[in-house]
């Protein structure tokens, strides 16, 4: 019976299809926004998480890669090595540099990470293809950056005016607005115009060393610095990215949900106004306003769910297409985000339908006699 | 036991200075198988009488009983349940749901009355077949002629074997042949199923099918002349 009642209360097919399309687009927008945030969050987690460092020494007040203005003396890494429990300490430079293909073409501003070749701490995460740099004039860069610049493995490139060759490509290092490039520390310093200065010192703890105790010891020894554990550094990077992006994402998602709610409200309101005679007949036949409202809400929920699932599917397809043809726009759609979107849209739809459903109480079954 | 009993029913309509008495001490009893025609001009209170009899309006005074159950003693939900199970409605227009097929429109009434789906489908098919609408059952109501639609509405009114059928000008919108066909179908099926029928009408074509004719004028019910 619920099936018959719901089908009987359906709105006009074209209007319902347009509403479902609108909800689909809202779902697509919402899932894409979530996916963009996931991608960005993954990018700021990938490098610090896979750089091999247990602790990060940064200029005082600096706790992340994204916004780092202070610098440290290169020799600080030697001083860190003197602290008991430190197995390795390597300087790292992080700086924005301009990159362009040797043959000319489009330029791109990249986030350069300079580290000690060939195996110092702070190097690139596992490569997608190619090999890590072995010489001062070799770099690996994010796949999306390579796509933006139109270069590949073996291509000559100018980074900060210095000629280098691309030897490998990374993934998970795309910050959307910019991408990572990894190379020799000295080359990075020259390209950034920062001789003898570095941004961080990546510290590797000796086996069995207490990292919290080691962090305290480093803070005492290296005055005027911040010492963060790997977990703290990753969390600070995530916080930095989210602080700037989440309010905007929240606003856009809210607007998308509001649009979906209005579309559903229009559909439900049209149904209550145009099908008043049918509604009166159903009331006369013994259907309660509550039951009719529930049927209407179930219909709305089904429509919204269809739109949301379609939107989430399109978002997944869009992510695949972008990865194939425009990797600079990195999206990481996830099932839990799609489910959250579905729940949010159903809630928005229910909210949108609430007022029209409440107006069902104003329908008089006697109207069935007067039609 | 009478299917419908109204005792000294008074009901007003309108508000303030426009308040008028629609029913003035109406008493009426209809037994199973009876077809009672209530005639009267527009505004005489016919629709109010049907609404009170069906529990859609509560009387200001007096009592209404369906199958011995006093509607005044029931809450709104119980009245709705009783209406869905024991009362069939036939309106001036067929008022079928356009989103459903003819067959599903009839099945919906059966389902609302609580019939199991298989039984509802069987009853719906049997009635539609009986009414010459078997071939039209999968169609949408808008694909039917006016007479066919109203015959489908007769099926909807009777599918759950109600004790009481309330019909409001059921032939007013139909031409001569269609109106007669609807009247014949309603009368024959109601008798077969032992339903009491209360018809509000001023269509003389219905006169031959009534077992009793009453006249409602200014809210007062009398035997028709």
């Amino acid at each position: 019976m619920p099936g018959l009642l719901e089908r009987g209360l359906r709105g006009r097919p074209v209007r319902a299809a347009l509403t479902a399309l609108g909800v689909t687009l809202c779902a697509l927008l919402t899932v894409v926004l979530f996916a963009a945030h996931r991608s960005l969050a993954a990018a700021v987690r990938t490098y610090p998480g896979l750089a091999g460092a247990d602790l990060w020494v940064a200029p005082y007040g600096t706790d992340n890669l994204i916004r780092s203005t202070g610098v440290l003396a290169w020799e600080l890494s030697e001083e860190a090595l003197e602290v008991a429990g430190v197995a390795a300490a390597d300087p790292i430079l992080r700086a924005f540099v301009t990159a362009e293909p040797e043959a000319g073409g489009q330029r791109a501003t990249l986030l350069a990470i300079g580290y000690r070749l060939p195996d110092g701490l702070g190097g690139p995460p596992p490569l997608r293809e190619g090999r890590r740099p072995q010489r001062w004039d070799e770099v690996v860069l994010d796949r999306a950056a390579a796509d933006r610049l139109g270069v590949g493995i073996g291509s000559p490139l100018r980074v900060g005016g210095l000629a280098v060759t691309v030897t490998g490509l990374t993934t998970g290092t795309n910050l959307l607005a910019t991408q990572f490039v990894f190379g020799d520390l000295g080359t990075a310093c020259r390209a950034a115009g920062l001789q003898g200065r570095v941004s961080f010192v990546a510290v590797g703890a000796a086996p069995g060393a207490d990292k919290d105790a080691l962090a305290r010891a480093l803070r005492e020894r290296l005055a005027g610095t911040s010492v963060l554990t790997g977990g703290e550094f990753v969390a600070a990077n995530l916080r930095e990215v989210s602080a700037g992006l989440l309010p905007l994402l929240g606003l856009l998602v809210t607007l998308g949900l509001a649009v979906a709610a209005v579309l559903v409200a229009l559909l439900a309101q049209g149904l209550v106004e145009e099908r008043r005679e049918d509604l009166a007949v159903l009331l006369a036949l013994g259907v309660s306003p509550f039951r009719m409202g529930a049927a209407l809400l179930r219909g709305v929920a089904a429509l919204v769910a269809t739109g949301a699932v379609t939107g989430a599917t399109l978002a997944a397809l869009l992510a695949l297409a972008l990865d194939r043809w425009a990797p600079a726009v990195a999206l990481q759609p996830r099932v839990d985000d799609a489910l959250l979107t579905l729940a949010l849209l159903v809630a928005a739809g229910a909210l949108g339908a609430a007022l029209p459903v409440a107006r069902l109480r104003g329908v008089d079954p006697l109207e069935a006699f007067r039609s | 036991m009478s299917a419908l009993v109204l005792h000294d029913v008074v009901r007003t309509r309108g508000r303030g200075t426009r308040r008028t008495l629609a029913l003035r001490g109406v008493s009426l009893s209809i037994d199973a198988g009876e077809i009672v025609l209530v005639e009267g001009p527009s505004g005489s209170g016919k629709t109010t009488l049907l609404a009170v009899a069906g529990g859609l309006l509560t009387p200001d005074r007096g009592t209404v009983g369906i199958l011995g159950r006093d509607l005044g003693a029931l809450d709104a939900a119980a009245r709705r349940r009783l209406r869905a199970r024991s009362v069939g409605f036939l309106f001036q227009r067929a008022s079928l749901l356009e989103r459903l097929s003819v067959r599903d429109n009839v099945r919906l009434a059966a389902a609302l009355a609580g019939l199991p789906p298989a039984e509802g489908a069987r009853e719906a098919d049997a009635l539609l077949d009986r009414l010459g609408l078997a071939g039209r059952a999968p169609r949408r109501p808008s694909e039917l002629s006016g007479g066919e639609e109203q015959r489908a509405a007769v099926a909807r009114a009777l599918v759950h074997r109600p004790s009481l059928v309330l019909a409001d000008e059921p032939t007013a919108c139909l031409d001569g042949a269609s109106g007669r066909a609807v009247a014949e179908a309603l009368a024959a099926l109601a008798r077969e199923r032992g339903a009491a029928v209360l018809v509000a009408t001023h269509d003389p074509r219905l006169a031959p099918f009534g077992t009793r004719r009453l006249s409602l004028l200014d809210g007062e019910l009398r035997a028709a002349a």
Side-chain angles (χ1 to χ4, degrees), chain A residues 1 4 7-8 10-12 275 277-278 281-289 365-366 368-369, chain B residues 47 50-51 56-57 80 83-84 89 91 93 95-97 99-100 104 107-108 111-112 156 168:
Chain A
M1 207 289 288
L4 279 178
R7 279 199 287 130
R10 273 182 196 158
R12 293 184 178 179
R275 307 280 305 281
E277 181 190 332
D278 289 343
V281 167
L282 287 169
L283 289 171
L285 294 184
V287 181
S288 69
L366 290 182
F369 290 98
Chain B
T47 300
L50 292 179
L56 297 171
L57 283 177
R80 266 197 303 271
R83 201 160 63 232
F89 283 96
F91 306 105
R93 290 192 343 177
S95 300
L96 301 173
L97 299 180
R99 298 283 173 268
L100 297 179
D104 285 344
R107 283 179 59 214
L108 176 61
L112 291 173
R156 182 179 66 184
D168 185 29

Side-chain angles (χ1 to χ4, degrees), chain A:
Chain A
M1 207 289 288
L4 279 178
L5 188 57
E6 277 157 21
R7 279 199 287 130
L9 286 174
R10 273 182 196 158
R12 293 184 178 179
V14 173
R15 197 178 292 175
L18 287 174
T19 305
L21 178 63
V23 173
T24 297
L25 293 176
C26 292
L28 177 63
L29 170 72
T30 306
V31 175
V32 162
L33 289 172
F34 281 143
H37 178 250
R38 293 284 183 195
S39 173
L40 197 54
V44 296
R45 212 169 24 225
T46 299
Y47 169 64
L50 296 173
D54 295 309
L55 297 164
W56 293 80
V57 179
Y60 186 76
T62 295
D63 63 0
N64 66 82
L65 278 165
I66 312 301
R67 258 197 287 238
S68 155
T69 51
V71 288
L72 301 169
W74 182 300
E75 298 77 21
L76 207 69
S77 60
E78 306 300 327
E79 213 173 321
L81 271 175
E82 294 170 7
V83 175
V86 172
D90 289 319
I92 291 172
L93 181 77
R94 156 251 180 250
F96 284 104
V97 294
T98 301
E100 58 186 319
E102 185 70 62
Q106 188 167 351
R107 291 177 164 202
T109 300
L110 303 178
L111 184 61
I113 300 291
Y115 69 103
R116 270 185 180 147
L117 297 185
D119 298 317
L121 296 173
L127 304 187
R128 177 188 172 101
E129 56 184 300
R131 61 168 176 80
R132 289 164 73 106
Q134 300 297 319
R135 299 169 11 161
W136 67 269
D137 59 350
E138 293 178 343
V139 296
V140 300
L141 74 165
D142 181 81
R143 184 175 73 99
D147 183 73
R148 285 174 67 190
L149 293 165
V151 298
I153 293 173
S155 298
L157 192 66
R158 295 197 83 81
V159 176
L162 301 174
V164 295
T165 302
V166 178
T167 62
L169 300 177
T170 59
T171 52
T173 45
N174 180 0
L175 296 170
L176 295 181
T178 187
Q179 293 82 32
F180 283 81
V181 57
F182 301 89
D184 174 59
L185 178 64
T187 305
C189 286
R190 282 200 300 283
L194 286 169
Q195 298 289 354
R197 292 284 182 268
V198 294
S199 308
F200 302 98
V201 173
V203 175
D210 179 341
K211 287 169 191 165
D212 290 330
L214 190 55
R216 282 196 297 275
L218 283 166
R219 278 187 206 108
E220 282 173 17
R221 178 67 183 262
L222 309 175
T225 64
S226 298
V227 180
L228 301 103
T229 63
E232 288 170 341
F233 193 55
V234 168
N237 278 293
L238 278 173
R239 197 165 50 241
E240 184 64 30
V241 167
S242 298
L245 201 62
L246 279 184
L248 179 63
L249 288 186
L251 176 66
L252 292 174
V253 167
T254 304
L255 289 175
L257 293 172
V259 169
V262 169
L263 288 172
V264 169
L266 279 173
L267 181 77
Q269 181 66 22
L271 199 147
V272 172
E273 283 177 1
E274 291 170 11
R275 307 280 305 281
R276 204 172 169 92
E277 181 190 332
D278 289 343
L279 299 172
V281 167
L282 287 169
L283 289 171
L285 294 184
V287 181
S288 69
F290 177 81
R291 199 171 180 184
M292 210 145 60
L296 202 73
L297 284 175
R298 277 196 298 271
V300 163
L303 184 139
V304 169
T306 303
V309 170
T310 309
T313 306
L314 287 178
L317 294 174
L318 179 65
L320 288 175
L322 288 172
D323 186 61
R324 173 77 178 78
W325 289 295
V329 187
L331 299 178
Q332 285 190 9
R334 285 175 29 160
V335 173
D336 53 351
D337 288 339
L339 291 174
L340 176 63
T341 302
L342 171 66
L344 289 173
L345 281 170
V346 169
L351 201 65
L355 190 61
V357 166
R359 291 192 62 189
L360 285 174
R361 294 174 64 184
V363 179
D364 186 345
L366 290 182
E367 292 174 39
F369 290 98
R370 296 168 193 150
S371 57

